[in-house]
Coordinates of all heavy atoms in Angstrom, one line a residue:
Q336 N 110.5 106.5 104.7 CA 111.6 105.8 104.1 C 112.9 106.1 104.7 O 114.0 105.8 104.2 CB 111.6 106.0 102.6 CG 111.7 107.4 102.1 CD 111.8 107.5 100.6 OE1 112.5 106.7 100.0 NE2 111.2 108.5 100.1
Y538 N 117.9 110.6 91.0 CA 116.8 109.8 91.5 C 116.7 108.5 90.7 O 117.0 108.4 89.5 CB 115.5 110.5 91.6 CG 115.1 111.2 90.3 CD1 114.5 110.5 89.3 CD2 115.3 112.5 90.1 CE1 114.1 111.1 88.1 CE2 114.9 113.2 88.9 CZ 114.3 112.4 87.9 OH 113.9 113.1 86.8
P539 N 116.3 107.4 91.4 CA 116.4 106.0 90.8 C 115.2 105.6 89.9 O 114.6 104.6 90.1 CB 116.5 105.1 92.0 CG 115.7 105.8 93.0 CD 115.9 107.3 92.8
Y540 N 114.8 106.5 89.0 CA 113.7 106.2 88.1 C 114.0 106.7 86.7 O 114.8 107.6 86.5 CB 112.4 106.9 88.6 CG 111.9 106.5 89.9 CD1 112.5 107.1 91.1 CD2 111.0 105.5 90.1 CE1 112.0 106.7 92.4 CE2 110.6 105.1 91.3 CZ 111.1 105.7 92.5 OH 110.6 105.3 93.7
T541 N 113.3 106.2 85.7 CA 113.5 106.6 84.3 C 112.4 107.7 83.9 O 112.4 108.1 82.7 CB 113.4 105.4 83.3 OG1 112.1 104.8 83.5 CG2 114.5 104.4 83.6
E650 N 117.1 103.3 81.2 CA 117.6 102.6 82.4 C 119.1 102.6 82.5 O 119.7 102.8 83.5 CB 117.0 101.2 82.4 CG 117.5 100.4 83.6 CD 117.0 100.8 85.0 OE1 116.1 101.7 85.0 OE2 117.5 100.3 86.0
A680 N 108.1 109.0 97.7 CA 107.9 108.1 98.8 C 108.8 106.9 98.6 O 108.9 106.0 99.6 CB 106.4 107.6 98.8
G681 N 109.6 106.7 97.5 CA 110.3 105.5 97.3 C 111.7 105.6 97.0 O 112.4 104.5 97.0
S682 N 112.3 106.7 96.7 CA 113.7 106.8 96.2 C 114.7 106.1 97.0 O 115.5 105.3 96.5 CB 114.1 108.3 96.0 OG 113.4 108.9 94.9
F683 N 114.7 106.4 98.3 CA 115.8 105.9 99.2 C 115.7 104.4 99.4 O 116.7 103.6 99.3 CB 115.9 106.7 100.5 CG 116.3 108.1 100.2 CD1 115.4 109.0 99.8 CD2 117.6 108.4 100.4 CE1 115.8 110.3 99.5 CE2 118.0 109.8 100.1 CZ 117.1 110.7 99.7
A684 N 114.5 103.9 99.6 CA 114.3 102.5 99.8 C 114.6 101.7 98.4 O 115.0 100.6 98.4 CB 112.9 102.2 100.2
R685 N 114.3 102.4 97.3 CA 114.5 101.8 96.0 C 116.0 101.6 95.7 O 116.4 100.6 95.2 CB 113.9 102.6 94.9 CG 114.0 102.0 93.5 CD 113.1 102.8 92.5 NE 113.3 102.3 91.2 CZ 112.7 101.3 90.6 NH1 111.9 100.5 91.4 NH2 112.9 100.9 89.4
V686 N 116.8 102.6 96.1 CA 118.2 102.5 95.9 C 118.8 101.3 96.8 O 119.6 100.5 96.3 CB 119.0 103.8 96.3 CG1 120.5 103.6 96.3 CG2 118.6 104.9 95.3
L687 N 118.4 101.3 98.1 CA 118.9 100.2 99.0 C 118.4 98.8 98.5 O 119.2 97.9 98.5 CB 118.3 100.5 100.4 CG 118.9 101.7 101.1 CD1 118.1 102.0 102.4 CD2 120.4 101.5 101.4
G688 N 117.1 98.7 98.1 CA 116.6 97.4 97.8 C 116.9 97.0 96.4 O 117.6 96.0 96.1
H689 N 116.3 97.7 95.4 CA 116.3 97.3 94.0 C 117.7 97.4 93.4 O 118.2 96.4 92.9 CB 115.3 98.1 93.2 CG 115.3 97.9 91.8 ND1 114.9 96.7 91.2 CD2 115.8 98.6 90.7 CE1 115.0 96.7 89.9 NE2 115.6 97.9 89.6
Y690 N 118.3 98.6 93.6 CA 119.6 98.8 92.9 C 120.8 98.2 93.8 O 121.8 97.8 93.2 CB 119.8 100.2 92.6 CG 119.0 100.7 91.4 CD1 117.8 101.4 91.6 CD2 119.3 100.3 90.1 CE1 117.1 101.8 90.5 CE2 118.6 100.7 89.0 CZ 117.4 101.4 89.2 OH 116.7 101.8 88.1
G691 N 120.7 98.3 95.1 CA 121.8 97.9 95.9 C 121.7 96.4 96.1 O 122.6 95.6 95.6
R692 N 120.8 95.9 96.9 CA 120.7 94.5 97.2 C 120.4 93.6 96.0 O 121.1 92.6 95.8 CB 119.7 94.2 98.3 CG 119.5 92.8 98.8 CD 118.3 92.6 99.6 NE 117.1 92.9 98.8 CZ 116.2 93.8 99.2 NH1 116.3 94.5 100.3 NH2 115.1 94.0 98.5
D693 N 119.4 93.9 95.3 CA 118.9 93.0 94.2 C 119.8 93.0 93.0 O 120.0 91.9 92.4 CB 117.4 93.3 93.9 CG 116.5 93.2 95.0 OD1 116.8 92.5 96.0 OD2 115.3 93.7 95.0
Q694 N 120.2 94.2 92.6 CA 121.0 94.2 91.4 C 122.5 94.3 91.6 O 123.3 94.2 90.7 CB 120.5 95.4 90.5 CG 119.1 95.2 90.0 CD 118.8 96.1 88.8 OE1 119.6 96.8 88.3 NE2 117.5 96.1 88.4
M706 N 123.6 108.7 100.6 CA 122.4 109.3 101.2 C 122.6 110.1 102.5 O 121.7 110.7 103.0 CB 121.4 108.1 101.6 CG 121.0 107.2 100.4 SD 120.1 105.8 101.0 CE 119.7 105.0 99.5
V738 N 114.3 95.6 102.8 CA 114.0 96.9 102.5 C 113.7 97.1 101.0 O 114.4 96.5 100.1 CB 115.1 97.9 102.9 CG1 116.4 97.6 102.2 CG2 114.7 99.3 102.7
Q739 N 112.6 97.7 100.7 CA 112.2 97.8 99.3 C 111.1 98.9 99.2 O 110.3 99.1 100.1 CB 111.6 96.5 98.8 CG 111.2 96.5 97.3 CD 112.5 96.7 96.4 OE1 113.4 95.9 96.4 NE2 112.5 97.8 95.7
D740 N 111.2 99.7 98.1 CA 110.1 100.7 97.9 C 108.8 100.0 97.6 O 108.7 99.0 97.0 CB 110.5 101.6 96.7 CG 110.8 100.8 95.4 OD1 111.6 99.9 95.4 OD2 110.2 101.2 94.3
G741 N 107.7 100.7 98.1 CA 106.4 100.2 97.8 C 105.6 101.1 96.8 O 104.7 100.7 96.2
A742 N 106.1 102.4 96.7 CA 105.4 103.3 95.9 C 105.4 103.0 94.4 O 106.5 102.5 93.9 CB 106.0 104.7 96.1
P751 N 107.4 102.3 102.1 CA 108.4 101.2 101.8 C 108.2 100.0 102.8 O 107.7 100.2 103.9 CB 109.7 101.9 101.9 CG 109.5 102.9 102.9 CD 108.1 103.4 102.6

Side-chain angles (χ1 to χ4, degrees):
Q336 59 174 322
Y538 50 82
Y540 297 87
T541 57
E650 176 69 10
S682 288
F683 292 81
R685 183 170 175 80
V686 170
L687 291 169
H689 177 67
Y690 286 104
R692 180 192 61 239
D693 298 344
Q694 297 200 2
M706 301 172 179
V738 64
Q739 186 64 61
D740 56 308

